[in-house]
Each structure stands twice: as C-alpha cells, then as structure tokens.
C-alpha cells in the first residue's frame, strides 16, 4: 500500500517564538509529511515526539491549513510475524505501518544494502 503524500507547514507555536533568544532569529516552520496510508479517512498525521516510558507520542494532525497537536497512545498491534509493533497511533484510520511501502525509501535501502552489505540486517539477528 502506498503512503499518503500530504505535506503541510507547521509554524512554531507562539510560546516557542517568545522563548527564542533575542537577536537569535525567529524559529522556522517545519514541514510535516503524513505517515498514514494513501486514501486514508480523516486528518493527516505525523509523530513529533515519543514518550516510550508512557507508551504515548505527540502527533501533529492536520486538514487543510489547520493543525493540532495531540498526545496519543501507540497502536499496539503487532505484525503477522509478531516481531514489530505498528508505529502509528491507536485507532489510526489506515493500514498498519508495516503494510505501507514507500517506494523511494525502499530504493534507497536497496542501494545502501548493496554499497554497505556489512550494515544490512541479517535474518535471525
């Protein structure tokens, strides 16, 4: 399944701007790329910060020009092999992350594996 290709610009919150050092320049907006599968329903979403101790993460969710931040629990589902947990939030509207294949990242991984075979993952390790 293809990944969603939605991108948005998230300006820094006003309190972050106020905390910036005088004369140090204004903090810049950051680009967010949706982590859900293509054709998902509802808001786009990407994780910003992880709190593994509490099994939560702060997610930016957006639709159009409006973005909100939400603290959400991890999905908790594991892949069919029982090895990897889904890296999306609980109740996400699309496929689990192991079913979302980014063709560009897969191509980069293949090139790196050929160029640096000693760094490639091995079965059973």
């Amino acid at each position: 399944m293809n990944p969603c290709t939605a991108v948005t610009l998230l300006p820094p919150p006003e309190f972050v701007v106020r905390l910036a050092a005088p004369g140090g320049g204004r903090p810049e907006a950051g680009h967010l790329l949706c982590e859900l599968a293509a054709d998902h329903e509802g808001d786009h979403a990407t994780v910003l910060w992880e709190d593994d101790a509490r099994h939560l993460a702060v997610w930016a969710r957006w639709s159009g020009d409006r973005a909100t931040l939400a603290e959400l629990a991890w999905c908790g589902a594991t892949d069919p092999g029982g090895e990897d947990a889904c890296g999306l939030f609980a109740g996400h509207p699309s496929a689990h992350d192991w079913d979302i294949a980014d063709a560009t990242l897969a191509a980069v991984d293949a090139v790196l594996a050929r160029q640096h075979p000693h760094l490639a993952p091995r079965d059973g390790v």
Side-chain angles (χ1 to χ4, degrees):
M1 181 170 294
N2 291 329
C4 180
T5 58
V7 177
T8 194
L9 194 62
L10 181 66
E14 195 55 41
F15 74 89
V16 172
V17 173
R18 288 192 306 269
L19 290 173
R26 178 183 171 91
E28 296 182 24
H31 290 89
L32 305 179
L33 176 62
C34 185
E35 294 185 38
L36 302 174
D39 300 325
H40 65 81
E41 295 179 12
D43 292 344
H44 300 288
T46 193
V47 68
L48 297 177
W49 303 285
E50 300 178 24
D51 184 350
D52 288 334
R54 295 178 30 214
H55 305 288
L56 299 170
V58 175
W59 289 78
R61 300 181 74 181
W62 73 94
S63 180
D65 293 337
R66 180 170 163 76
T68 58
L69 303 182
E71 189 177 62
L72 302 171
W74 291 109
C75 172
T78 56
D79 69 7
E83 296 180 20
D84 292 320
C86 179
L88 300 173
F89 57 90
H92 57 86
S94 67
H96 294 294
D97 68 350
W98 57 79
D99 287 327
I100 302 170
D102 184 325
T104 302
L105 290 178
V108 169
D109 287 346
V111 168
L112 291 174
R114 282 193 307 274
Q115 291 178 350
H116 308 281
H118 61 286
L119 297 176
R122 295 175 296 191
D123 291 337
V125 177

